[in-house]
Amino acid sequence: MADHYDVLGVQPDASDADIKKAYRRLARELHPDVNPSPDAAERFKDVTHAYDVLSDPEQRRRYDAGPQADSPFGGGAAGGFSDIFDAFFGGGGGGGRGNGPRSRAERGQDALLRIEVDLDEVVFGTHKDVEVDTAVLCETCHGSCCAPGTSPRTCDICGGSGHIQRQVRSLLGNVVTSAPCGTCRGYGTVIPSPCPTCQGQGRVRARRTVPVDVPAGVETGLRLQMPGQGEVGPAGGPSGDLYLEVKVRHHDVYSREGDDLLATLEVQMTDAILGTNTTIDGLDGPVELEVRPGVQSADVLVIKDRGVTKLRGAGRGDLRVGVQVVTPTKLSHKERQLVEQLAKSHKAAKPQLARFQQGMFGKLRDRFFNF
């Protein structure tokens, strides 16, 4: 690392006016508008950085003193004493030999999105492409945070350690403490030429497509974890995770109880008496149903293995179809005569009170859920 005084061509005891005069002279000579040479541009950056440090009284004092000049024990002893201080007081004097500069690269944050799927997609699972607005790696600097052709520079205030040691007085006497360097913010390096695309962050906001395989058997509220699909961390750090919270859309015909599918079949009174065969549209294709003669409202027809594929484990649930017998409300004269003849021949018992039971819909619900 070049000495700032040598870069400006002045002595260490130079006055502020001499430093300013030297900088102006070199700036007029090396400025890119005057001198287009690549070497001149690099020297201009060094000259500007040296002037920034030496023109600030506090930074110049730290630079002249060196990163550990405040320590009466030297670099090694200060670390040992601060380790002892940490052991007794829980970290007040941290920053010893084991406490180096921190990395710019950090893990990115996790992301949470909500996706909606149809009930028929739940039966066997589905594939979806999800649009995610998140942080991605900067394609210009590839996470280095530096403009192309440049690299981070070792911090000349802390000497690359990322920390500044200071001596303070306490009840125990003089204690050496360590704090993050204010110039490099604890990184140990500074970036003289940040990437123009990401402004030195190593990442940019962008919209990308994430392919998702939604497994069969998911239900509303379930979260799917996709490791490494979240935000890219600062300075190209590892990505966080992406969580997808599932919502199953309402279906007009079918509902779900666990791994079973539920539906209601309206059966005409004559079909309930005589029985019939019919075909219904299942979520995964046609389903053949046999309605036995004498079927009653709230009876449940069970079709094995036509429900939802189980999320964990093999096999599928069942399809449960509850019967609802439909009584006609309007009859022609001839139809009424036929029903009257049936009533006379059947000799059914007169209506009478029966033991209390729930209504048909409550009974049907209990048959579904407690079958």
Side-chain angles (χ1 to χ4, degrees):
M1 180 174 62
D3 182 80
H4 290 336
Y5 293 104
D6 290 341
V7 170
L8 293 178
V10 297
Q11 296 297 320
D13 58 352
S15 65
D16 293 343
D18 292 338
I19 291 174
K20 187 174 184 179
K21 181 179 179 181
Y23 170 70
R24 286 181 174 179
R25 175 179 56 82
L26 292 172
R28 286 194 296 268
E29 175 186 343
L30 302 173
H31 196 279
D33 292 341
V34 178
N35 192 337
S37 170
D39 293 338
E42 190 63 28
R43 283 191 60 198
F44 179 74
K45 294 178 182 178
D46 293 340
V47 168
T48 302
H49 179 61
Y51 178 71
D52 289 341
V53 173
L54 298 182
S55 63
D56 182 276
E58 179 62 21
Q59 291 196 52
R60 183 179 181 182
R61 184 192 69 78
R62 293 181 183 176
Y63 178 75
D64 291 341
Q68 297 179 349
D70 288 339
S71 171
F73 307 105
F81 188 84
S82 61
D83 290 343
I84 297 175
F85 191 92
D86 290 348
F88 281 97
F89 298 98
R97 288 170 292 181
N99 192 3
R102 65 190 182 103
S103 173
R104 293 182 185 274
E106 299 178 4
R107 182 181 184 275
Q109 292 185 342
D110 296 336
L112 174 63
L113 292 178
R114 292 175 174 84
I115 59 173
E116 293 188 354
V117 295
D118 293 323
L119 187 56
D120 56 349
E121 294 176 318
V122 173
V123 176
F124 293 111
T126 187
H127 176 86
K128 288 186 175 295
D129 291 327
V130 179
E131 295 290 329
V132 182
D133 185 8
T134 183
V136 299
L137 188 68
C138 176
E139 296 183 355
T140 301
C141 69
H142 303 287
S144 70
C145 304
C146 301
T150 67
S151 59
R153 186 201 308 269
T154 300
C155 178
D156 44 33
I157 300 299
C158 67
S161 67
H163 291 77
I164 299 294
Q165 292 183 344
R166 295 183 177 86
Q167 179 179 340
V168 297
R169 295 184 178 277
S170 70
L171 296 177
L172 301 178
N174 292 334
V175 177
V176 176
T177 65
S178 180
C181 175
T183 301
C184 67
R185 295 186 297 172
Y187 295 123
T189 59
V190 294
I191 299 178
S193 301
C195 173
T197 302
C198 63
Q199 285 75 49
Q201 297 299 312
R203 58 179 184 169
V204 295
R205 302 296 300 186
R207 196 169 188 85
R208 62 189 178 95
T209 301
V210 178
V212 180
D213 289 323
V214 181
V218 296
E219 55 187 337
T220 296
L222 181 71
R223 287 189 178 182
L224 305 175
Q225 181 181 8
M226 303 187 66
Q229 293 294 336
E231 290 193 350
V232 171
S239 300
D241 298 338
L242 174 63
Y243 291 88
L244 300 175
E245 187 172 272
V246 178
K247 178 182 178 182
V248 181
R249 296 188 183 95
H250 170 77
H251 196 278
D252 292 336
V253 175
Y254 288 95
S255 59
R256 178 181 177 185
E257 173 66 19
D259 295 323
D260 293 340
L261 289 175
L262 313 178
T264 300
L265 179 68
E266 293 184 346
V267 179
Q268 297 300 316
M269 182 182 66
T270 52
D271 289 333
I273 296 173
L274 302 176
T276 187
N277 293 323
T278 187
T279 302
I280 63 174
D281 294 326
L283 291 178
D284 59 339
V287 179
E288 300 291 336
L289 289 180
E290 179 186 1
V291 180
R292 299 183 303 274
V295 69
Q296 302 293 312
S297 289
D299 283 352
V300 178
L301 309 179
V302 180
I303 299 89
K304 293 291 186 180
D305 300 325
R306 293 299 297 267
V308 177
T309 302
K310 297 180 179 179
L311 180 62
R312 297 177 180 86
R316 298 173 59 182
D318 300 332
L319 171 60
R320 299 183 182 180
V321 181
V323 175
Q324 179 180 348
V325 178
V326 179
T327 303
T329 57
K330 293 182 180 181
L331 297 174
S332 66
H333 179 72
K334 184 176 180 180
E335 289 173 337
R336 184 174 182 84
Q337 287 181 335
L338 292 174
V339 173
E340 290 175 348
Q341 292 177 8
L342 175 62
K344 291 179 180 179
S345 62
H346 185 58
K347 296 182 180 179
K350 293 182 179 181
Q352 58 184 352
L353 293 174
R355 296 186 60 183
F356 171 79
Q357 59 181 355
Q358 295 179 350
M360 190 277 293
F361 290 105
K363 183 179 178 183
L364 184 60
R365 180 194 60 200
D366 290 346
R367 289 281 187 92
F368 273 143
F369 294 163
N370 302 314
F371 191 83

